[in-house]
Amino acid sequence: MTDLWWKSAVVYQIYPRSFADADGDGMGDLRGIIDHLDYLAGLGVDVLWLSPVYRSPQDDNGYDISDYQDIDPLFGTLEIFDELLRGVHQRGMKLIMDLVVNHTSDEHPWFVESRSSTDNPKRDWYWWRPARPGLEPGTPGAEPTNWGSAFGGPAWEYDEKTGEYYLHLFSRKQPDLNWENPAVREAVYEMMRWWLDRGVDGFRMDVINMISKAVQSPGGALPDGRVIAGSAYGDGSASYINGPRNHEFLHEMHERVFAGRPELLAVGEMPGVTVEEAVLFTDQARQEVDMVFQFDHVWVDRGGDPWRLIPLQLTTLKGIFNRWQTGLAETGWNSLYWNNHDQPRAVSRYGDDSPPYRAASAKMLGTVLHLHRGTPYIYQGEELGMTNCPFPTIADFRDIEAIGQYTQAVDQEGRSPEEVLAVLRARGRDNARTPMQWDASPHAGFTAGTPWLAANPNHTEINAAVEQEDPDSVYHYYRRLIELRHTEPAVVDGDFTMLLPNDERLYAFTRRLGGTELLVIGNFSGDEVRAEIEDAAAWSSAELVLTNLAQAPVDLTLGPWQAVVYRRTA
Ligand code: NOJ
C-alpha cells in the first residue's frame, strides 16, 4: 500500500461564496462552512479545498487578492478561519487553501506601489512595457503585444500616469506578478509559510503553469502571439504556458516552503499542461508538486471556434483519460475531476440531466471517475447531482468571464447574441456557482437574504435534505464510492487497462493489484448495451461490488446510464 496519504484521499472543493450563508447577506461565509462540517465529514471526504477567502475587491470572485494574509470581511475573520480549521481537524479532515500568485489584485499594496512611478522599487514586481514602437501610447492596437486576456479584451492595460502598459492575463484588475524578480518569489514563499504555520495542510495553486513568461533577452521583449481567425486578439499562450523557468520556480518553492513538512498536499492547476510535462511536475524525486489539474478532458467538447458547441465523443474522452492514466503510471500522479467552479455541471455535460436519467447518470459519472487511478475531487453539489442552470438572459450571469467574453464576441466580433448565449448556458462558469442546494425552501436553504446569484429552480427536487433521507440518492452513492477507495487497495494502487476503446457508448476498464482485479463499466447512453469484452461470462458471475440501478446486469448487458464495479480475486 502506498505511503503517500493523498493517494487514497478524496478532496471536496468548497466555493465559499456559494456554499452556505450564515449571516444572511446573500453571500456564503466561513461560519456557513463551519455549520456544515458534519455534513462533509458524513460524506467521508478527507480534504477540503477552499476557493479564495482572502481580502479581495471580488472582481473575479476572490481570485483577485488584495491581502494574502487576511480574510475578506464578506467571509469572516482570521479568528473564524482558525475556528473552521480546528473544526476540520477535529473531524479528521485536512484543509487546503487556494494559492493565487500568478497575479494579485490591482488594489494589492504591491501593485499600488508598482504603478506609482517608473522608478518605484516595486515597479519590476509586475510586467510593465511601453507601447508598440511607432504607435501612440493608449490608442487602439498600441498594446505591447497582440495577446487577448482570458476574460475578453486585450491582455494589456494602459496606465496614463506612467505612460506604460501592464500585463493581465485575466481581468484588468488582476495584474500578473513578475516571477523573474527574486523578491516577488521570496514574498510569496513567506506568505505561504505563514499559512502553513497557522495549520493549513497545503495549497491548490491557481494557474501555476503560467508564472514563467518566455521573456526574450536581451531587452525583455514579449513576442506577439498566433493570430486567430475571427478573433480580435492573438493567442499569446506559447509565451506563458509551461514557460522556461516553471520547473525551476516550483522546485524553489518546494525547497523554501515545503521542505521539512512532508505531510502537505500541493496541487498545481495547469491549463494546457501535457502528459510529458506533468510527469516532470509530479515526479516526487524532483520535488515540485504532488499532482496537477490537467484540462484535456474538459476541453474535449471545445473546437477551434469557442462559440461552437461540439458534441461529446466518448471515444475521444476515453483516449484522453487513457493517455493520462498510462502516461503517469510509472512516475507521477493524477488528479481526477469532472467539476469545479470553472466548469459546467458534469451531469448536464457528460450525462443526461433530464428527470428519468439524472440520478443514474450522475452516479455513473462518479463511478467512472473515482475508479481511475488518481485522487478524485468532488465539487460542491456534485454529490447531489446538481445540474446546469437555465439562465434566461445575459443579465442573469454574474461571472466576469461570461460577461467579458459576451461583450467581445457580440460587440467586437459581430457574433449573434443568441449563439453566444447558447454556449454560455452550456459551458458558463456560473452553472457551477449557483447556491448549494441544501433544501427545498426559498433560495435552496443557502441564505435567509437575497443570494448574490439566483438558486437553480430545481432545488425543490434536488437538494441535500431530500438526498440524505433517501438511501438510493446520488449523495449516498457518493458515500459508497468514497468508502470503496478507502477500503479497496486496488482502487488506489491498481494498474489501469482501458477496454473497448472504440465503443461510443461504454466506458470500460480494469484495475489490478496483486490477485485482485476490478472491472468498471459505465454506460454513457440511454440504451441497453452489452459489454463485448473478453472473459464476459466469467466477469458476469464475479462479485458485483457496486451498481447504480436496482437491477444487476444479466450477461454484462447494462441498462441506460448504468455503472458497475465487479471484483474477482485470483
Ligand atoms: C483559474 C481559476 O480557477 C479561475 O476561477 C480564475 O478566474 C482564474 N484562474 C484566474 O485566477
Side-chain angles (χ1 to χ4, degrees):
M1 190 71 181
T2 176
D3 53 346
L4 293 165
W5 65 267
W6 36 260
K7 290 194 170 178
S8 55
V10 177
V11 183
Y12 187 97
Q13 182 192 354
I14 295 178
Y15 195 63
R17 63 192 280 132
S18 303
F19 190 66
D21 172 23
D23 65 7
D25 66 354
M27 184 75 69
D29 45 41
L30 295 181
R31 180 73 57 207
I33 302 174
I34 293 173
D35 291 345
H36 290 88
L37 284 180
D38 286 336
Y39 169 86
L40 297 166
L43 191 57
V45 295
D46 305 279
V47 183
L48 304 182
W49 149 28
L50 283 196
S51 276
V53 289
Y54 313 95
R55 240 180 221 278
S56 158
Q58 302 291 324
D59 189 54
D60 182 20
N61 294 358
Y63 282 88
D64 49 314
I65 296 167
S66 55
D67 185 346
Y68 288 110
Q69 287 169 236
D70 203 0
I71 301 293
D72 196 282
L74 279 176
F75 298 121
T77 61
L78 277 171
E79 288 65 43
I80 303 176
F81 177 85
D82 290 338
E83 188 185 327
L84 168 62
L85 191 55
R86 277 196 302 278
V88 170
H89 287 161
Q90 275 160 9
R91 287 167 180 79
M93 298 183 286
K94 296 179 187 276
L95 186 139
I96 65 171
M97 299 291 276
D98 220 303
L99 180 82
V100 188
V101 290
N102 173 68
H103 43 268
T104 66
S105 163
D106 65 338
E107 297 181 34
H108 194 292
W110 297 342
F111 188 73
V112 173
E113 270 195 57
S114 181
R115 80 187 314 171
S116 66
S117 72
T118 52
D119 57 4
N120 183 278
K122 293 229 164 42
R123 185 67 169 181
D124 185 48
W125 282 41
Y126 294 84
W127 294 90
W128 290 97
R129 291 292 183 275
R132 196 176 281 272
L135 293 181
E136 180 61 24
T139 59
E143 291 83 14
T145 70
N146 65 351
W147 305 354
S149 81
F151 297 159
W156 296 94
E157 180 75 2
Y158 181 59
D159 189 55
E160 261 186 24
K161 181 160 185 221
T162 55
E164 289 187 331
Y165 292 79
Y166 65 84
L167 177 68
H168 60 88
L169 295 179
F170 296 90
S171 100
R172 66 180 55 145
K173 288 185 67 62
Q174 292 167 298
D176 281 54
L177 280 166
N178 177 13
W179 276 68
E180 297 293 316
N181 185 328
V184 168
R185 307 204 295 273
E186 189 43 51
V188 168
Y189 304 153
E190 196 184 315
M191 173 273 284
M192 292 173 74
R193 289 191 297 261
W194 184 86
W195 280 104
L196 295 179
D197 291 343
R198 216 172 179 96
V200 309
D201 301 293
F203 298 98
R204 171 271 186 189
M205 304 172 181
D206 193 70
V207 291
I208 205 70
N209 67 331
M210 296 196 186
I211 57 177
S212 164
K213 273 70 171 175
V215 60
Q216 293 171 347
S217 58
L222 293 164
D224 270 341
R226 186 175 61 89
V227 172
I228 313 166
S231 168
Y233 301 96
D235 170 13
S237 60
S239 294
Y240 55 76
I241 295 279
N242 307 323
R245 299 184 71 188
N246 216 153
H247 292 290
E248 176 196 336
F249 291 159
L250 285 178
H251 179 65
E252 181 185 80
M253 176 191 282
H254 193 285
E255 282 189 322
R256 307 297 305 272
V257 179
F258 297 133
R261 309 187 200 230
E263 291 294 292
L264 300 176
L265 174 59
V267 190
E269 187 211 23
M270 301 197 178
V273 70
T274 61
V275 174
E276 295 69 33
E277 281 293 326
V279 169
L280 301 178
F281 281 123
T282 64
D283 177 354
Q284 285 292 309
R286 293 173 55 95
Q287 303 190 312
E288 296 183 18
V289 295
D290 297 318
M291 57 186 96
V292 306
F293 288 122
Q294 57 84 18
F295 279 62
D296 292 346
H297 67 300
V298 293
W299 287 347
V300 64
D301 48 10
R302 201 173 88 152
D305 179 350
W307 298 110
R308 248 194 63 218
L309 289 173
I310 311 252
L312 175 74
Q313 191 103 36
L314 186 64
T315 45
T316 312
L317 185 71
K318 291 191 291 190
I320 290 169
F321 273 104
N322 193 30
R323 208 156 39 74
W324 280 91
Q325 291 285 298
T326 48
L328 270 61
E330 299 300 323
T331 305
W333 191 249
N334 286 288
S335 305
L336 306 169
Y337 73 99
W338 291 126
N339 270 128
N340 59 42
H341 63 293
D342 294 332
Q343 298 299 329
R345 291 286 178 178
V347 67
S348 303
R349 182 185 208 174
Y350 307 101
D352 181 342
D353 64 6
S354 69
Y357 295 135
R358 181 194 62 87
S361 64
K363 293 173 190 171
M364 185 281 291
L365 288 169
T367 314
V368 167
L369 188 80
H370 283 239
L371 268 290
H372 277 85
R373 186 163 183 276
T375 299
Y377 287 69
I378 300 172
Y379 176 70
Q380 64 186 42
E382 183 176 350
E383 79 281 16
L384 306 175
M386 274 177 64
T387 68
N388 278 357
C389 188
F391 296 103
T393 69
I394 186 67
D396 298 293
F397 288 87
R398 295 285 170 275
D399 176 21
I400 182 169
E401 178 182 72
I403 297 165
Q405 290 187 346
Y406 179 92
T407 309
Q408 178 180 318
V410 174
D411 297 352
Q412 283 183 271
E413 296 166 2
R415 307 265 183 173
S416 97
E418 267 317 309
E419 178 192 11
V420 173
L421 255 185
V423 175
L424 289 179
R425 283 194 193 107
R427 304 273 185 269
R429 308 195 296 180
D430 277 339
N431 283 303
R433 300 173 180 189
T434 58
M436 174 73 176
Q437 294 171 199
W438 293 109
D439 58 40
S441 69
H443 312 309
F446 162 71
T447 180
T450 307
W452 70 275
L453 176 67
N456 192 318
N458 67 17
H459 71 267
T460 47
E461 283 89 47
I462 304 170
N463 62 65
V466 166
E467 297 205 20
Q468 282 185 288
E469 289 303 306
D470 173 7
D472 196 30
S473 64
V474 181
Y475 170 85
H476 282 290
Y477 191 85
Y478 262 81
R479 286 189 46 225
R480 292 197 280 277
L481 268 181
I482 296 166
E483 201 180 295
L484 185 59
R485 173 162 291 264
H486 290 157
T487 53
E488 173 50 71
V491 176
V492 178
D493 286 321
D495 65 13
F496 175 95
T497 306
M498 185 69 88
L499 308 175
L500 308 175
N502 301 320
D503 194 308
E504 282 299 351
R505 292 180 296 182
L506 295 183
Y507 194 131
F509 55 91
T510 57
R511 303 290 312 279
R512 202 186 46 216
L513 183 70
T516 302
E517 193 174 10
L518 305 174
L519 169 68
V520 182
I521 314 175
N523 183 357
F524 274 68
S525 85
D527 310 327
E528 268 199 0
V529 194
R530 179 166 189 274
E532 307 286 348
I533 60 166
E534 234 180 80
D535 233 8
W539 271 118
S540 51
S541 58
E543 177 197 1
L544 182 59
V545 182
L546 200 61
T547 185
N548 59 343
L549 298 187
Q551 214 63 34
V554 176
D555 189 24
L556 288 198
T557 302
L558 274 68
W561 299 100
Q562 186 157 26
V564 288
V565 181
Y566 289 99
R567 175 168 43 205
R568 65 183 183 190
T569 39

